[in-house]
Amino acid sequence: MYLGHISPCCGSADSIKKSIVDFFGRNTFNIEKLVVVGCDGAAVNTGRQGGIIRLLETHFKHPLQWLICLFHSNELPLRHLFRYLDGNTSEPHCYSGDVGKLLEQCNKIPVLDFQQIECDNLGLLQLSENILCDLSKDQRYLYDMYQAVASGSCSEPLAHRSPGTLVMSRWLTMANRILRLYVATTQPSAL
């Protein structure tokens, strides 16, 4: 059950824990019935001694089930690979390498004849329409762009769809933009 929203004064684990405790106090929730806390896998949340969940367990004097979003964990390998191949970011919101700089405007570059990447041996399924309807806009874009790269053909409507906003914390949209850049590049290995 979603209980509410807080806006802590800063991003430290102590500050966020205090905001959560204050929220519970103001709303007279029975803390003894709190059994699960969900969050992403950031260290500020999951640190085994100083993370928010551990601080809440200590404060409430009982263990909690940790419900950690694995989607964020799945994005980390791409993040580290991209940093290795393209270099560190130059600022919190900017890439410094050649490919990273192209990602910002990739959807404005026209689609060219690109080399198909055969993906048959990856065992990826054709998803049914009812599953596709449940995907977010960004997830659907990634699936459709994967299909385009695997088939060697990017449709005009897909070429004009937005790959999603490029944000350092959203590696799904970064993957979307990498594939969009791929279909607009005749020799991607030269980048």
Side-chain angles (χ1 to χ4, degrees), residues 115 121 181:
Q115 183 177 349
N121 61 349
L181 182 60

Side-chain angles (χ1 to χ4, degrees), residues 92-138:
H93 304 290
C94 297
Y95 292 100
S96 59
D98 293 336
V99 175
K101 290 176 184 175
L102 290 170
L103 292 180
E104 185 66 39
Q105 302 297 320
C106 68
N107 53 321
K108 295 186 169 107
I109 305 170
V111 172
L112 304 171
D113 288 331
F114 59 93
Q115 183 177 349
Q116 170 188 8
I117 299 177
E118 293 189 35
C119 302
D120 294 338
N121 61 349
L122 295 178
L124 297 174
L125 305 172
Q126 293 289 330
L127 298 178
S128 66
E129 195 56 42
N130 62 337
I131 292 174
L132 291 173
C133 290
D134 285 339
L135 297 178
S136 71
K137 187 170 94 172
D138 292 336

Side-chain angles (χ1 to χ4, degrees), residues 32-170:
E32 292 174 8
K33 292 186 177 186
L34 179 66
V35 282
V36 177
V37 174
C39 60
D40 67 24
V44 71
N45 295 323
T46 61
R48 64 186 179 99
Q49 293 182 4
I52 296 164
I53 300 175
R54 182 65 189 127
L55 295 175
L56 289 171
E57 289 176 326
T58 303
H59 182 87
F60 296 139
K61 297 181 175 67
H62 71 269
L64 298 168
Q65 293 294 316
W66 297 26
L67 183 63
I68 310 303
C69 176
L70 293 180
F71 185 69
H72 295 90
S73 298
N74 290 337
E75 294 174 331
L76 292 175
L78 175 59
R79 176 184 188 180
H80 292 293
L81 176 64
F82 193 78
R83 184 177 295 147
Y84 174 78
L85 295 173
D86 200 54
N88 286 327
T89 56
S90 57
E91 302 175 21
H93 304 290
C94 297
Y95 292 100
S96 59
D98 293 336
V99 175
K101 290 176 184 175
L102 290 170
L103 292 180
E104 185 66 39
Q105 302 297 320
C106 68
N107 53 321
K108 295 186 169 107
I109 305 170
V111 172
L112 304 171
D113 288 331
F114 59 93
Q115 183 177 349
Q116 170 188 8
I117 299 177
E118 293 189 35
C119 302
D120 294 338
N121 61 349
L122 295 178
L124 297 174
L125 305 172
Q126 293 289 330
L127 298 178
S128 66
E129 195 56 42
N130 62 337
I131 292 174
L132 291 173
C133 290
D134 285 339
L135 297 178
S136 71
K137 187 170 94 172
D138 292 336
Q139 291 168 332
R140 179 62 189 257
Y141 184 92
L142 182 64
Y143 179 78
D144 291 344
M145 192 54 76
Y146 153 77
Q147 295 291 336
V149 169
S151 70
S153 175
C154 181
S155 69
E156 195 69 25
L158 180 56
H160 292 290
R161 271 177 37 203
S162 170
T165 305
L166 184 61
V167 179
M168 302 304 248
S169 60
R170 291 296 318 269

